[in-house]
Amino acid sequence: MANEIIETYKILEERIKSENIQIYFDMLDSPYPSFKSKAIQELTKQKIDVPKIKEFLKDPDKNVRFSAYRYLDKMGVLDENSIKVALKDISANIRKEAIISYIQMGIKPIEFILEFTEDPDPVVRYQLISTFLEFYPEDSEKIISKMKNDPYVKIKQLISALDNISETLKFEQVDKSVKVMALRRFYEREDAYTFFNSLKETYFDCSNETKGIIIKFFSGLPCEIINKFIEKIIQEEKDIHILQLAANTSKKVCGIDSIPTWLIDQLVNSEEAKVVKFGLKLATEKEDMSYVDFCRDLLSAIDDDLVIGASDYLIYFQDYMLKDYVPNFLNSLSSKRIREGLKIIRKLKLDNFIEEISLIALNKMYPISIRKAAVNLLKFFKAKDYWEIPNQILKDPYENGNLKLAALNALLRLNAEMVVNF
């Protein structure tokens, strides 16, 4: 009987996957471009080999052509000829993707791509110079000489930025993406000490947005280089968002012990919910239990970020007072809180909520992700008296394929013999 169950399970699993995919195969033949585009996108996500999709590179609709190009790229079957054809597509988005492909794949001669420095779309031209500089910094003069008189302001700014990184970062009118591109090139060309020393003085003359960009780049440097500087920022900075970025970089590079307790307290007491949530996450990583009462009070807050941040903190410390809030979470209009309620049930092993879990699993009003989490909980608790829940989902021809796969796995655990009835 065991072998029969396993064989039936494998057949059912493949059938559910096939039924799910067949929907997208059928959509490929739709007369509506949006349907074809959606089908290609879904087949891309699932990495399904469909040679026919290459034909859609010639589709009259630009969105279908774009989806087909992305599919070939993600599947690793994009060839040089298709890229060169796409470089001349009437759609600027497709030409932009083709430029990225040509350069990233290292197709030769590289000089061929320089012919597109006069593309009519400025966004395409900017993509060309930014990608070229990233992959061929040693040949930067080849493209700069061709584009030094380009009228597009972002290209002008980028070329100028390459010559004087400090002035570029200080100048507020320079676009953020240009600063990032210039910093990336500078980061890749210079050693860690040179990169850091060139920016540490410039930092204090920059806007908060630019300071944030620099701090993020510092997260790629060794702790012994940046630790004193980050400590100085943490000690002197007044802007809570910069402090948050500095704390994140310090934690990533130097470890959680580099974060002072007073900074966590400052973040936790912020007026901004996302900052509070981040502060509580740091407190959790530091295993600081001093915010238990504070978090219990937050469980009744209006903002989801505050509630979930507090709940995650209390879950980590196995605070069973959370069980009193589970009914409110499960009956909330917020999907985030419902998901958090299910998470609490799992982490604290609250098997007294199985009835509520089963109702969520069956209710089609809930998002698929939440219903799937509920089904998985039935499996987690080995709730054998509730085997009919996954059984019913499997029998419903209109249920989502991914939900059915979760139900199949649950049924195998809860009542394996019922698997052979399908």
Side-chain angles (χ1 to χ4, degrees):
M1 184 63 177
N3 287 338
E4 184 182 357
I5 290 171
I6 293 171
E7 287 304 313
T8 306
Y9 168 82
K10 290 179 179 178
I11 293 169
L12 270 173
E13 186 180 40
E14 286 304 313
R15 192 180 82 191
I16 292 169
K17 288 179 180 178
S18 297
E19 287 173 354
N20 206 25
I21 295 167
Q22 188 58 47
I23 296 171
Y24 302 120
F25 276 114
D26 294 342
M27 287 170 66
L28 289 175
D29 296 322
S30 170
Y32 303 106
S34 59
F35 278 38
K36 288 190 285 188
S37 183
K38 175 67 175 175
I40 295 171
Q41 290 167 21
E42 291 299 326
L43 291 167
T44 304
K45 288 179 187 176
Q46 298 187 41
K47 299 188 183 302
I48 307 298
D49 184 22
V50 190
K52 174 184 177 181
I53 289 180
K54 187 172 182 179
E55 299 171 14
F56 288 94
L57 288 175
K58 300 176 182 178
D59 193 273
D61 185 85
K62 64 180 182 181
N63 293 325
V64 174
R65 295 198 306 276
F66 181 81
S67 296
Y69 187 92
R70 277 282 182 89
Y71 170 87
L72 296 174
D73 185 25
K74 296 292 183 183
M75 293 295 289
V77 293
L78 197 57
D79 57 74
E80 183 176 335
N81 184 60
S82 296
I83 293 172
K84 288 184 174 180
V85 170
L87 284 168
K88 298 178 181 179
D89 197 286
I90 197 168
S91 166
N93 279 338
I94 295 174
R95 297 200 304 276
K96 189 170 77 167
E97 289 294 315
I99 280 171
I100 295 171
S101 300
Y102 192 95
I103 295 174
Q104 285 186 346
M105 290 170 65
I107 299 173
K108 304 293 182 181
I110 194 59
E111 284 73 20
F112 174 80
I113 203 68
L114 298 179
E115 296 176 17
F116 297 89
T117 54
E118 297 183 4
D119 189 281
D121 191 292
V123 176
V124 175
R125 299 198 304 275
Y126 181 73
Q127 186 66 65
L128 170 58
I129 187 171
S130 60
T131 307
F132 190 95
L133 290 173
E134 181 179 355
F135 284 85
Y136 293 97
E138 70 280 5
D139 292 326
S140 57
E141 281 308 311
K142 289 182 179 179
I143 196 165
I144 290 173
S145 63
K146 280 181 168 290
M147 302 189 76
K148 61 184 178 182
N149 296 319
D150 193 290
Y152 188 41
V153 65
K154 286 177 67 174
I155 293 177
K156 285 179 175 292
Q157 289 177 346
L158 178 56
I159 291 175
S160 174
L162 301 177
D163 295 329
N164 194 332
I165 189 72
S166 294
E167 290 305 311
T168 296
L169 294 173
K170 292 176 186 177
F171 195 47
E172 291 190 30
Q173 281 67 34
V174 175
D175 191 89
K176 177 182 176 181
S177 64
V178 171
K179 291 181 179 181
V180 171
M181 186 65 233
L183 270 171
R184 185 180 296 122
R185 180 172 180 265
F186 188 53
Y187 177 82
E188 291 170 355
R189 286 196 325 173
E190 304 295 341
D191 63 80
Y193 281 102
T194 302
F195 181 80
F196 173 72
N197 289 328
S198 299
L199 297 180
K200 67 178 182 180
E201 298 302 329
T202 303
Y203 172 88
F204 294 101
D205 296 323
C206 296
S207 67
N208 280 352
E209 181 183 63
T210 304
K211 285 180 178 178
I213 296 170
I214 294 172
I215 289 172
K216 287 179 180 178
F217 268 91
F218 281 171
S219 67
L221 303 180
C223 179
E224 59 268 24
I225 293 178
I226 69 162
N227 62 336
K228 295 297 182 185
F229 184 77
I230 295 295
E231 283 177 10
K232 178 180 174 64
I233 293 174
I234 288 174
Q235 291 289 338
E236 300 177 1
E237 184 60 59
K238 302 300 181 186
D239 186 278
I240 195 68
H241 299 107
I242 299 297
L243 281 172
Q244 182 178 348
L245 289 171
N248 198 46
T249 291
S250 184
K251 183 194 76 167
K252 180 180 177 181
V253 178
C254 300
I256 189 63
D257 289 338
S258 68
I259 309 297
T261 301
W262 66 261
L263 174 58
I264 294 177
D265 199 55
Q266 190 170 338
L267 293 166
V268 168
N269 286 290
S270 168
E271 294 182 357
E272 296 190 35
K274 290 186 182 299
V275 176
V276 175
K277 187 178 180 183
F278 175 75
L280 290 172
K281 185 175 183 298
L282 290 180
T284 301
E285 292 179 37
K286 236 173 158 39
E287 299 199 346
D288 180 353
M289 292 187 67
S290 62
Y291 298 102
V292 169
D293 290 336
F294 175 79
C295 285
R296 286 173 178 172
D297 290 338
L298 283 185
L299 293 174
S300 300
I302 294 175
D303 192 288
D304 276 347
D305 281 320
L306 287 177
V307 174
I308 293 170
S311 175
D312 285 344
Y313 176 91
L314 294 171
I315 286 173
Y316 181 83
F317 293 110
Q318 293 286 293
D319 185 359
Y320 276 84
M321 184 171 282
L322 278 169
K323 69 181 187 301
D324 297 333
Y325 289 85
V326 170
N328 288 337
F329 281 19
L330 297 184
N331 291 313
S332 173
L333 296 177
S334 165
S335 294
K336 290 181 180 179
R337 296 198 193 199
I338 298 169
R339 194 174 288 109
E340 188 70 11
L342 295 174
K343 181 178 177 181
I344 294 169
I345 291 170
R346 186 185 187 98
K347 293 291 185 179
L348 301 186
K349 297 181 174 60
L350 304 176
D351 59 3
N352 54 306
F353 287 101
I354 289 178
E355 180 66 31
E356 290 86 345
I357 294 168
S358 66
L359 293 175
I360 289 173
L362 278 179
N363 194 336
K364 293 184 179 182
M365 294 293 289
Y366 290 106
I368 294 298
S369 61
I370 288 178
R371 295 181 65 201
K372 184 177 175 182
V375 169
N376 287 335
L377 272 177
L378 293 176
K379 175 187 171 186
F380 175 77
F381 285 116
K382 300 178 183 177
K384 294 187 176 182
D385 291 343
Y386 291 82
W387 66 267
E388 290 186 4
I389 303 298
N391 189 64
Q392 189 171 329
I393 291 171
L394 281 168
K395 285 183 175 179
D396 190 334
Y398 301 106
E399 287 287 18
N400 175 273
N402 289 327
L403 181 62
K404 281 189 171 186
L405 286 174
L408 177 61
N409 280 307
L411 187 61
L412 188 65
R413 173 69 67 88
L414 305 182
N415 192 346
E417 291 185 5
M418 289 302 300
V419 171
V420 299
N421 293 336
F422 287 91

